[in-house]
Amino acid sequence: MKLLYQTHSPYARKALVFAHEAGLAQRIEVVHQETSPMRRNEHVFAENPLGKVPVLVRPGLPPIFDSDVICAFLDTLHEGRKLIPAEGEARWQALRVQAVAQGLADAGIALRWETVRRPQALRYPPLRDGYAEKLLASYDWLERELDHNSPIHVGHIALATVLSWIEFRELPAFRKNRPQLAAWFDAFEARPSMQATPLSGETHD
Ligand SMILES: N[C@@H](CCC(=O)N[C@@H](CS)C(=O)NCC(=O)O)C(=O)O
């Protein structure tokens, strides 16, 4: 299988870290692709009509996107403990943490448009502030609601990869006054799956 990937995408890294945690990384060839809504990438559009990474290209089968769906598919390919719990409250907790992590990535990208990506004259400060507020409220929620001690699940993977990206892009900081979240993240970042997938590179708009 090939993973259309970007070394500075939190979503792509989430899929790859999931593959490492599931013991599937050896079966995946990582292919770097630059994407931006202002820079059409034909290789990516050929597999995903949204023109976004990650995409999992499977031999003889249709490509799979987005990162949530790739993780769900990968979880069917291994015999170990499932990283997306099948039932009960454990399932809903994993999926809601994943939803918050996805929202953090979405809001973080939107915030970057309003701070560094859009030409200065087209930026809109009230929108910037609204996205920053979503980040801060989500950090507070995570400090209260994250299940630090449960076995690793897809929500943890999505969260660690997005928090790492938030620090990489110097978005509003999450550590101050959130000791539990910070300690959990530091421990997760030391895992081999995270160490094997460092972030690098700039966005090309
Ligand atoms: N919901 C998608 C989001 C994917 C996404 O936004 N990827 C970015 C890279 S960080 C992208 O390729 N953006 C290009 C574009 O918006 O055209 C997922 O979870 O995979």
Side-chain angles (χ1 to χ4, degrees):
M1 295 177 286
K2 285 187 184 170
L3 183 66
L4 306 191
Y5 190 78
Q6 205 175 90
T7 55
H8 46 89
S9 164
Y11 311 99
R13 190 182 186 201
K14 168 186 153 193
L16 188 56
V17 167
F18 191 102
H20 278 273
E21 292 289 346
L24 298 167
Q26 303 300 332
R27 292 173 57 182
I28 293 176
E29 180 190 345
V30 175
V31 183
H32 186 85
Q33 298 286 341
E34 287 296 335
T35 56
S36 159
M38 297 189 301
R39 208 172 188 252
R40 189 181 169 89
N41 179 325
E42 294 300 346
H43 299 292
V44 178
F45 268 93
E47 310 294 353
N48 175 358
L50 298 171
K52 296 183 178 193
V53 293
V55 181
L56 187 69
V57 180
R58 305 175 299 166
L61 289 167
I64 289 184
F65 44 85
D66 62 2
S67 65
D68 289 1
V69 186
I70 294 171
C71 290
F73 173 70
L74 292 177
D75 217 24
T76 68
L77 296 186
H78 67 98
E79 298 302 324
R81 185 184 62 80
K82 295 301 174 190
L83 298 174
I84 305 175
E87 57 194 7
E89 274 309 304
R91 176 172 177 80
W92 308 122
Q93 172 64 3
L95 293 182
R96 75 183 190 138
V97 172
Q98 174 173 242
V100 170
Q102 289 289 98
L104 281 173
D106 296 346
I109 288 174
L111 181 55
R112 274 170 53 74
W113 279 108
E114 297 303 330
T115 49
V116 294
R117 291 178 73 178
R118 221 184 272 279
Q120 184 99 45
L122 300 178
R123 294 178 198 164
Y124 187 46
L127 197 50
R128 173 201 66 200
D129 295 346
Y131 286 126
E133 210 172 295
K134 290 180 195 295
L135 294 182
L136 299 177
S138 297
Y139 302 160
D140 288 340
W141 185 90
L142 288 159
E143 179 69 7
R144 291 192 310 271
E145 299 286 335
L146 184 65
D147 48 337
H148 305 94
N149 298 321
S150 61
I152 284 180
H153 57 60
V154 69
H156 293 136
I157 294 169
L159 181 59
T161 48
V162 76
L163 291 178
S164 179
W165 175 81
I166 280 169
E167 292 204 317
F168 173 66
R169 289 300 187 214
E170 300 180 333
L171 288 164
F174 62 84
R175 290 175 182 277
K176 196 162 176 248
N177 300 328
R178 299 182 194 92
Q180 300 204 86
L181 181 61
W184 171 82
F185 172 67
D186 287 340
F188 198 102
E189 225 186 10
R191 295 179 71 84
S193 61
M194 295 290 282
Q195 296 295 311
T197 57
L199 292 167
S200 66
E202 286 306 319
T203 308
H204 299 273
D205 284 325

